[in-house]
Amino acid sequence: ECDDPHSDWYQWITDPDLQQQEITHLAGDPPSAGPGFWELWPQYMDGSKADMGLGALRYSVEWSRLFPSEVAAMANTIEDLDQYVHQPTRAAYHQIFAGAKQRNLRLLITLNHYSLPLWIHDGKACHDNLTFCERRGWLDRDKILKHIALFSGWVAKEYGSDVDLWGT
């Protein structure tokens, strides 16, 4: 479940063509080789309280998990965007945030922590030919500003009552 195949980061670290180019990665490990927070968040939160005495959690909301499909690009308002949300992910974030509150962990939520949905940024196509790639991510100012504003507004509306602090 920790793999998110709809993000440019996942594409970047798993695409066979990109993996063959030594300049594109250090290790090439997929997210499933990582610590598994998506599945194991209760244990991580319990450990952060008991073992480290932490009182806060910084966590990223993954845009491509919530809105994996390009149909989300048709939204013009936060209300429009709501119809395109991936419902299991919506529920999972509510569970994670409620779990933090149950453990008295303050939540600092990062709205964008590097990766973008593939429908916004095709990292492979842009790596191959930046001039002609269509999904240019942060280089397509008008498109990215519209969509990250809608995404941020949707996340604030959906999870705002659970979040203590926000990061961009």
Side-chain angles (χ1 to χ4, degrees), residues 83-120:
Q83 68 185 308
Y84 304 116
V85 68
H86 184 252
Q87 295 299 332
T89 302
R90 171 189 252 164
Y93 281 128
H94 276 294
Q95 287 180 321
I96 291 168
F97 298 166
K101 291 297 176 191
Q102 290 167 351
R103 291 162 176 82
N104 293 315
L105 290 169
R106 293 189 64 192
L107 278 173
L108 166 59
I109 298 302
T110 304
L111 290 168
N112 184 266
H113 192 204
Y114 181 69
S115 63
L116 295 171
L118 287 171
W119 55 270
I120 296 270

Side-chain angles (χ1 to χ4, degrees), residues 50-61:
D51 300 339
M52 295 183 279
L54 299 180
L57 172 69
R58 201 271 323 144
Y59 191 64
S60 295
V61 177

Side-chain angles (χ1 to χ4, degrees), residues 72-81 83-84 146-147 150:
M74 295 188 304
N76 289 307
T77 67
I78 294 167
E79 291 73 24
D80 289 346
L81 190 58
Q83 68 185 308
Y84 304 116
K146 172 190 174 184
H147 291 297
L150 287 171

